[in-house]
Amino acid sequence: MRNRITGLLCVLAAAALTVSCGRPSSLDPIDNSAAYAKFNAMSGQSRHDELVDEAKKEGSVIVYTTSDAVSTTIAPAFEKKYGITVSVYRATTETLRQRILQEADAGRPLNDVVETSDIEMAILNQKHLLGSYHPDVPGVDARAKLPFMTGAYFIATLPVHNSRLVKEAGAPTSLADLADPRWKGKLALEQNDDNWYLSVYRYFHDHGTSDADFTAMMKKIAANARPVNGHLTSHDLLKSGEYSVFVTDFLHYVTGQDPGAVDYKPAVGPVNLQVLGAVPMVGAKHPAAATLWSDFYLSDAQPLLNNVSGIPTNPSAIPGYHAPLAKDDEVVEDWRTLLKSGPAWSAAYANLLAGKGPVLPKGAS
């Protein structure tokens, strides 16, 4: 897999050099809309068989992803089942978006399929870079079905506590509990989680909390917390006892890596659910393989994604599956507002962490 990733990066670097001298013929747009229309019109075993036949003729698929699980787990399983070579480029959400947009400016993206978050997909969709994809996979959670993607898993963000430092009897049972002065210096907030902040606001607003009361609560929580950067590093610091509660931790770090060292029970809501999934690209060189991969993500890959990447959106594909959270406390993040006024929410959240105002965008309600 490392060799395939390295090879892909070399191809991308060569393409970037060629672009400076004019658009190369290898980046000329590809019209595969007819292929996508054909696959979308099919269903059941006939769709799967057709996709497998066509994908094997194509021979390979290039996946851009934000998830480590793709290269370590999903790609090997896909290759083993179908004998189709998978090349993976893994990067942060921002880096991934920038690469795709740069390649599109040069002629067309070089990947066949992209795996990333709802808001990043919304941006790519706004640029008309996502292919037409209508999965024929039963059992997918309706909350994961967005206008431009069908999510394969949710990343759940919620308070997680160090089990050694916070005993069961003293564990917070609500977000408001963390405003208590007893948590002074014992909390951490990830400084880039404005998406979580928006979901928390929406939840309390929809449950009758005034903006003044919400602001007062969040200011007290922020005053008790230190800003941290990077979920995985911050989770490790939580385990080590650097702080007692990581207010915006990821659930799959707890359930997938180190149960017992940290705990999220009793679950403190609201829990932000970020939707992530795989979507074929407009102009993909390998449209059948891209569609097959996206179907695989919603079916065979679900047990592999469970806990490792997040909460699977198709639990029917996992025998004996038990949901880790109560849906009453879950809020699917508001990608529409993030797309429209994300910078305003980022600024408001930054103000909250810095102890200055305003901590809500103008007209937030």
Side-chain angles (χ1 to χ4, degrees):
M1 181 59 66
R2 180 177 297 175
N3 290 337
R4 287 196 296 275
I5 294 174
T6 303
L8 176 57
L9 291 175
C10 291
V11 170
L12 295 173
L17 290 174
T18 308
V19 167
S20 64
C21 300
R23 178 183 294 178
S25 60
S26 62
L27 289 185
D28 284 345
I30 296 174
D31 183 3
N32 53 24
S33 56
Y36 286 142
K38 179 179 75 170
F39 302 143
N40 288 335
M42 302 180 73
S43 61
Q45 193 63 42
S46 60
R47 169 184 164 122
H48 179 263
D49 292 346
E50 179 72 12
L51 281 173
V52 172
D53 288 344
E54 293 297 319
K56 286 187 174 182
K57 292 176 185 176
E58 294 171 354
S60 64
V61 62
I62 298 173
V63 180
Y64 285 8
T65 180
T66 59
S67 171
D68 288 330
V70 170
S71 58
T72 60
T73 307
I74 311 301
F78 184 85
E79 290 182 328
K80 182 178 181 180
K81 180 169 185 177
Y82 296 116
I84 297 167
T85 301
V86 182
S87 296
V88 177
Y89 170 71
R90 194 269 181 196
T92 63
T93 54
E94 295 82 3
T95 301
L96 203 67
R97 183 210 319 144
Q98 290 169 5
R99 180 176 290 280
I100 291 172
L101 294 179
Q102 288 169 356
E103 290 173 1
D105 288 342
R108 64 175 173 85
L110 295 176
N111 60 316
D112 298 304
V113 60
V114 59
E115 185 273 349
T116 190
S117 67
D118 44 22
I119 182 59
E120 295 296 320
M121 288 290 196
I123 293 170
L124 296 178
N125 181 65
Q126 200 174 54
K127 301 289 186 181
H128 308 291
L129 295 175
L130 300 182
S132 177
Y133 173 61
H134 304 296
D136 179 49
V137 180
V140 177
D141 191 322
R143 298 174 300 171
K145 297 178 180 179
L146 308 184
F148 44 81
M149 70 180 292
T150 298
Y153 62 99
F154 300 111
I155 286 182
T157 306
L158 76 170
V160 172
H161 59 267
N162 182 299
S163 303
R164 291 183 292 104
L165 301 179
V166 180
K167 302 306 179 183
E168 185 176 354
T173 59
S174 69
L175 194 64
D177 287 349
L178 298 176
D180 191 286
R182 75 184 181 95
W183 295 106
K184 182 71 174 180
K186 298 179 180 181
L187 310 180
L189 282 163
E190 217 290 333
Q191 62 187 14
N192 295 308
D193 279 343
D194 47 280
N195 57 333
W196 167 85
Y197 185 50
L198 169 59
S199 288
V200 169
Y201 171 76
R202 288 285 186 230
Y203 177 88
F204 280 97
H205 180 268
D206 291 346
H207 284 76
T209 302
S210 68
D211 284 1
D213 287 344
F214 175 80
T215 296
M217 177 186 70
M218 292 307 303
K219 283 183 175 180
K220 290 178 182 178
I221 293 173
N224 287 340
R226 71 177 75 174
V228 293
N229 187 19
H231 283 96
L232 183 55
T233 299
S234 301
H235 178 81
D236 288 341
L237 290 173
L238 173 71
K239 287 193 299 181
S240 71
E242 188 72 17
Y243 30 79
S244 300
V245 180
F246 185 11
V247 184
T248 54
D249 205 349
F250 286 162
L251 177 63
H252 61 279
Y253 288 165
V254 185
T255 55
Q257 292 186 9
D258 41 45
V262 292
D263 203 354
Y264 65 95
K265 298 177 181 177
V268 175
V271 179
N272 180 60
L273 297 183
Q274 186 179 49
V275 184
L276 292 92
V279 179
M281 300 293 292
V282 162
K285 187 177 180 181
H286 309 109
T291 304
L292 183 63
W293 172 276
S294 300
D295 282 359
F296 184 81
Y297 226 54
L298 294 169
S299 52
D300 295 50
Q302 289 289 289
L304 305 176
L305 292 165
N306 187 29
N307 291 333
V308 175
S309 293
I311 300 175
T313 62
N314 187 7
S316 66
I318 306 173
Y321 176 78
H322 296 286
L325 298 168
K327 286 188 177 181
D328 289 346
D329 290 329
E330 296 173 345
V331 180
V332 177
E333 72 179 23
D334 186 357
W335 62 268
R336 288 182 175 86
T337 296
L338 290 171
L339 185 64
K340 180 181 179 182
S341 53
W345 278 96
S346 294
Y349 184 57
N351 285 344
L352 177 74
L353 298 184
K356 60 182 183 181
V359 299
L360 285 177
K362 185 177 181 180
S365 298

